[in-house]
Amino acid sequence: KMNSTMSEEPDALSVVNQLRDLAADPLNRRAIVQDQGCLPGLILFLDHPNPPVVHSALLALRYLAECRANREKMKSELGMMLSLQNVIQKTTTPGETKLLASEVYDILQSSNMSDMDNMNEMNYRRRKAQFFLGSTNKRAKTVVLHIDGLDDSSRRNLCEEALLKIKGVISFTFQMAVQRCVVRIRSDLKAEALATAIASTKVMKAQQVVKSESGEEMLVPFQDTQVEVEQNTDLPEYLPEDESPSKEQDKAVSRVGSHPEGAASWLSTAANFLSRSFYW
């Protein structure tokens, strides 16, 4: 059935990846959450049997939750918090996906709390997530990378592809204006693996941003020694080289960002697909 419909309409993974790419652009985040069909669709994707679809939907939600104005609506959306809990508690969910789901849950859960309640709730959630993750998945850590060559959205796509292939990467946020990428990784993954993956693009090179004792930021180059990177076998290639839509997508993303009506038309297409997929 899947193959017969592929030619007529996109499959779930390509739709959720497109939403993830649109959500990566801060200019689109309000429009996606205001749209009638996209948020319910992303929630339904959290229950999808294909693990890469779930992970991609969570990355989209993580991007959307970065916009503070979106959080209250996202939290109150029917099924959102329950679906996130299900992902965290399901025994078959990969560790990185569980950590990413807990991160999104924490952000939304704390959207209308005082700072003190916030800290207590986040600590409670973290302990609970650790319990579900078991001892094999240690706590996540954050690595800030400065990436030479990260200067347009096609380079960002290349960088995203490289990072998604690494086992142990949970989520990432790009700060394009300062050529940075903030990456959340499992604590047992070496940061050098990120540098190796980014160097493999042949057009970008990463340095780690660290703070000195006086609080000043410094750039620390990674050693040139190649680190063996464990490939993420759970996830298929997101954008195969021979059919990478990055050039078209750049146009779509920049057009969407600068003209909200462009976003609206694409989002309605996505919503139509979602309603045909899930509600028949």
Side-chain angles (χ1 to χ4, degrees):
K1 184 189 170 187
M2 192 86 156
N3 292 342
S4 64
T5 57
M6 286 279 275
S7 54
E8 299 153 36
E9 60 183 32
D11 65 321
L13 187 60
S14 63
V15 167
V16 77
N17 283 350
Q18 182 93 36
L19 275 172
R20 181 199 68 204
D21 293 340
L22 285 169
D25 184 341
L27 294 172
N28 297 331
R29 289 172 188 163
R30 293 290 292 274
I32 291 171
V33 168
Q34 295 307 317
D35 182 83
Q36 295 299 303
C38 286
L39 210 51
L42 282 170
I43 293 169
L44 287 161
F45 277 140
L46 295 179
D47 198 34
H48 200 277
N50 190 9
V53 171
V54 176
H55 195 83
S56 197
L58 283 166
L59 277 173
L61 291 170
R62 176 73 183 77
Y63 279 131
L64 296 176
E66 275 177 41
C67 172
R68 206 172 279 276
N70 282 342
R71 292 175 189 169
E72 211 40 59
K73 180 166 182 2
M74 288 175 70
K75 183 184 173 183
S76 59
E77 190 70 36
L78 186 66
M80 172 70 81
M81 302 307 271
L82 199 60
S83 296
L84 288 169
Q85 279 182 318
N86 287 342
V87 173
I88 295 164
Q89 294 173 20
K90 204 182 280 181
T91 52
T92 53
T93 304
E96 289 84 4
T97 307
K98 286 190 184 196
L99 282 166
L100 178 53
S102 329
E103 206 168 278
V104 176
Y105 188 100
D106 282 348
I107 292 167
L108 298 183
Q109 186 62 34
S110 57
S111 62
N112 59 356
M113 292 182 179
S114 71
D115 286 346
M116 187 52 77
D117 287 345
N118 228 335
M119 287 306 297
N120 292 341
E121 175 67 24
M122 299 263 288
N123 288 336
Y124 168 71
R125 287 289 318 150
R126 217 163 267 133
R127 283 199 305 276
K128 198 169 173 190
Q130 288 309 115
F131 172 76
F132 286 120
L133 290 169
S135 56
T136 52
N137 290 297
K138 301 183 191 74
R139 184 159 299 199
K141 62 184 177 185
T142 301
V143 178
V144 181
L145 301 175
H146 177 83
I147 302 174
D148 293 315
L150 181 67
D151 45 25
D152 63 26
S153 50
S154 65
R155 291 279 177 94
R156 188 193 71 204
N157 289 341
L158 272 180
C159 196
E160 199 170 70
E161 283 177 62
L163 292 173
L164 279 167
K165 288 176 189 167
I166 306 172
K167 194 170 179 59
V169 167
I170 299 159
S171 68
F172 36 79
T173 303
F174 291 101
Q175 298 168 345
M176 298 296 288
V178 287
Q179 293 188 302
R180 284 193 182 177
C181 183
V182 181
V183 192
R184 295 274 291 157
I185 59 175
R186 289 237 306 266
S187 59
D188 50 358
L189 178 67
K190 288 188 169 64
E192 285 78 8
L194 306 177
T196 302
I198 286 162
S200 75
T201 64
K202 305 282 194 282
V203 289
M204 288 177 281
K205 191 175 176 195
Q207 293 174 283
Q208 189 167 359
V209 181
V210 294
K211 280 204 168 141
S212 66
E213 286 178 20
S214 60
E216 286 182 58
E217 288 191 346
M218 300 185 304
L219 294 183
V220 180
F222 288 99
Q223 299 300 319
D224 278 341
T225 52
Q226 291 289 300
V227 175
E228 191 61 41
V229 176
E230 192 180 348
Q231 295 288 302
N232 209 339
T233 49
D234 296 342
L235 303 178
E237 297 287 327
Y238 271 70
L239 296 170
E241 286 299 318
D242 55 347
E243 51 179 327
S244 170
S246 60
K247 288 196 172 57
E248 280 306 308
Q249 190 179 300
D250 286 346
K251 280 186 233 157
V253 170
S254 57
R255 187 176 66 243
V256 163
S258 50
H259 301 294
E261 69 275 8
S265 68
W266 193 90
L267 291 173
S268 65
T269 307
N272 286 342
F273 169 80
L274 293 170
S275 60
R276 279 202 301 280
S277 303
F278 293 112
Y279 301 119
W280 46 266

